[in-house]
């Protein structure tokens, strides 16, 4: 998985370099070399704006990847090169990875936001416009990037209340749903950097709630407009000792692993980026005589 991510990341750099060359060719064809001209918003300008956002995303991913490699090197020394099963708390480097991962997820969604898509499609042919729009996240696709990223991003981009169990006898508050790595584990020579984030790919129950309540609206319009977390958890304690509720562990979220799950998600994000880049490349090629 690690090598596959490196290959995919290298492919993106290659396509970017090709696009930069095409952008130069396009500008020369449109305006000549060194000639004064009236600046117009065209595919070249849209590409410059898009590339700035994309480079910021790639910068954050590279930071995550370097920190992940650093953590692996640190753990190797403790676990005899992964030959011994180990369970331990996170470390300062783990916290840095969590922070960079949050930044990555928040910034990545910009590539699917309406302003970015409109800025690209308004200077494209109808065929390429359609391809860009077809590649966008689909809310109705329960297995697509829309919901996977939504459940992650909303934990980073917004403050959240405490979440409580439905126990009516003794107030119980769940541990925070966070990118913090609470558990580092070596098991069968595999590294797991466990967070309490929701990994939708591992949680069929949450998929079912999203599909039935939000997408299909089986329980009415009002329910479908509620935030997903409000459908899953209570935000008010119940029972005794509400002021100081007992802390309990959430065991059924499908904990997001900042090693394996991060790399799997990275490949999905890279595929999305590469599709966008190939469509932009096609637009440049069609515009150059």
């Amino acid at each position: 998985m690690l090598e596959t991510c490196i290959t995919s990341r290298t492919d993106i750099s290659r396509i970017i370099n090709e696009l930069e060359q095409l952008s130069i060719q396009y500008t020369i064809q449109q305006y000549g070399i060194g000639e004064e001209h009236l600046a117009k918003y065209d595919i070249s300008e849209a590409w410059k704006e898009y590339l700035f956002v994309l480079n910021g995303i790639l910068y954050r991913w590279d930071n995550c990847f370097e920190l992940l490699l650093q953590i692996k090197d640190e753990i190797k020394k403790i676990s005899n090169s992964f030959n011994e099963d180990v369970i331990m708390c996170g470390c300062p480097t783990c916290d840095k990875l969590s922070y960079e991962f949050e930044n990555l997820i928040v910034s990545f969604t910009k590539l699917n936001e309406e302003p970015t898509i409109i800025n690209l499609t308004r200077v494209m042919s109808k065929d390429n416009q359609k391809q860009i729009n077809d590649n966008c996240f689909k809310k109705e696709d329960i297995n697509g990037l829309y919901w996977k990223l939504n459940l992650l991003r909303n934990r980073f981009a917004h403050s959240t209340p405490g979440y409580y169990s439905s126990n009516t006898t003794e107030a119980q508050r769940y541990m925070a749903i966070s990118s913090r790595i609470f558990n580092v584990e070596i098991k069968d020579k595999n590294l797991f950097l466990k967070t309490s984030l929701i990994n939708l790919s591992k949680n069929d129950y949450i998929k079912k709630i999203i599909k039935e309540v939000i997408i299909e609206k089986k329980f009415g319009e009002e329910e479908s407009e509620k935030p997903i977390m409000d459908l899953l958890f209570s935000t008010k304690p119940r029972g005794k000792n509400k002021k100081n509720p007992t802390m309990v562990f959430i065991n059924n979220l499908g904990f997001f692993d900042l090693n394996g799950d991060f790399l799997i998600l990275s490949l999905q994000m890279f595929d999305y980026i590469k599709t966008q880049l190939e469509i932009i490349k096609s637009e440049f090629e069609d515009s150059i005589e």
Side-chain angles (χ1 to χ4, degrees), residues 135 270 276:
N135 184 54
F270 287 162
Q276 282 190 333

Side-chain angles (χ1 to χ4, degrees), residues 213 217 219-227 231:
V213 180
K217 301 182 180 181
F219 300 91
E221 191 73 34
E222 185 176 345
E223 283 295 299
S224 72
E225 292 179 355
K226 287 183 178 179
L231 298 174

Side-chain angles (χ1 to χ4, degrees), residues 66-83:
E66 289 299 322
L67 286 166
L68 179 58
L69 294 181
Q70 184 178 334
I71 290 170
K72 288 190 172 187
D73 285 340
E74 292 172 359
I75 301 301
K76 275 183 181 180
K77 297 174 184 177
I78 299 172
S79 64
N80 189 24
S81 296
F82 298 116
N83 288 321

Side-chain angles (χ1 to χ4, degrees), residues 137-200:
F137 309 161
K138 302 295 186 292
K139 189 174 182 178
E140 62 273 16
D141 181 6
I142 195 63
N143 294 308
L145 279 174
Y146 180 90
W147 288 108
K148 290 177 184 177
L149 295 175
N150 181 279
L151 286 169
L152 296 173
R153 184 184 184 278
N154 286 349
R155 304 285 65 74
F156 314 146
H158 307 291
S159 298
T160 55
Y163 295 114
Y164 300 86
S165 77
S166 56
N167 188 322
T168 57
T169 304
E170 184 77 18
Q172 295 178 334
R173 176 170 174 147
Y174 291 119
M175 66 178 291
I177 299 174
S178 166
S179 65
R180 181 177 64 87
I181 296 170
F182 68 85
N183 185 305
V184 176
E185 181 177 3
I186 303 293
K187 186 175 182 180
D188 299 327
K189 297 187 178 182
N190 294 310
L191 172 65
F192 300 93
L193 303 175
K194 294 182 180 180
T195 73
S196 55
L197 294 171
I198 298 172
N199 185 341
L200 190 60

Side-chain angles (χ1 to χ4, degrees), residues 41-62:
Y41 195 85
D42 54 15
I43 184 60
S44 181
E45 287 299 317
W47 162 244
K48 290 176 185 176
E49 292 181 0
Y50 174 91
L51 182 60
F52 180 78
V53 174
L54 175 59
N55 279 338
I57 293 166
L58 296 175
Y59 168 80
R60 292 171 176 87
W61 187 87
D62 290 344

Side-chain angles (χ1 to χ4, degrees), residues 202-250:
K202 299 177 181 177
N203 198 308
D204 290 335
Y205 171 73
I206 295 180
K207 284 184 183 182
K208 183 175 182 291
I209 294 295
I210 293 173
K211 185 174 185 294
E212 293 183 353
V213 180
I214 298 179
I215 298 175
E216 297 177 352
K217 301 182 180 181
K218 288 185 177 181
F219 300 91
E221 191 73 34
E222 185 176 345
E223 283 295 299
S224 72
E225 292 179 355
K226 287 183 178 179
I228 178 62
M229 300 303 290
D230 289 357
L231 298 174
L232 300 173
F233 303 102
S234 171
T235 56
K236 295 181 180 179
R238 303 177 183 181
K240 298 178 181 178
N241 299 320
K242 294 179 182 178
K243 184 176 181 180
N244 300 110
T246 303
M247 294 297 296
V248 292
F249 205 69
I250 310 178

